Amino acid sequence: MRWQDENDRPLPSAVVCRSLTDRTKNGDLNAEALLKHNEEEPLVLWAWNPGRKQDGTMRTLPAITHAEFVAATRQWIDAGMPCPR
């Protein structure tokens, strides 16, 4: 899953959302599987275990906790997985 463009700039939320909800692009994950992925996937969990970037600088923690991220995922799923336009 890509979150940045070729120049390391964040992709628009609508683009990321469409990729997350497109089962041909998300590893064929339905809503329940996406939630489980965000709860347990080692690569997702890695975001909350910062280390060093390839250039040696430190990575930073996400703006929210992992628990808040999972809760937000659950809320989004419960709302029908809407994507911004």
Side-chain angles (χ1 to χ4, degrees):
M1 179 73 52
R2 291 190 39 187
W3 304 102
Q4 294 94 11
D5 66 14
E6 299 80 26
N7 296 312
D8 208 27
R9 291 181 302 239
L11 292 171
S13 297
V15 172
V16 174
C17 187
R18 284 192 302 271
S19 293
L20 282 172
T21 57
D22 183 342
R23 291 179 69 170
T24 67
K25 295 180 180 179
N26 78 1
D28 198 28
L29 301 177
N30 64 14
E32 290 178 26
L34 278 169
L35 180 60
K36 182 176 174 143
H37 174 86
N38 284 352
E39 289 177 321
E40 302 175 3
E41 172 60 38
L43 187 56
V44 173
L45 295 172
W46 175 73
W48 285 271
N49 185 21
R52 296 197 179 273
K53 296 179 184 179
Q54 288 183 340
D55 67 4
T57 59
M58 290 300 293
R59 290 177 48 242
T60 58
L61 286 169
I64 61 174
T65 67
H66 180 253
E68 291 168 329
F69 175 68
V70 171
T73 301
R74 186 174 289 113
Q75 182 179 14
W76 173 66
I77 289 169
D78 289 347
M81 299 168 60
C83 290
R85 293 183 185 249

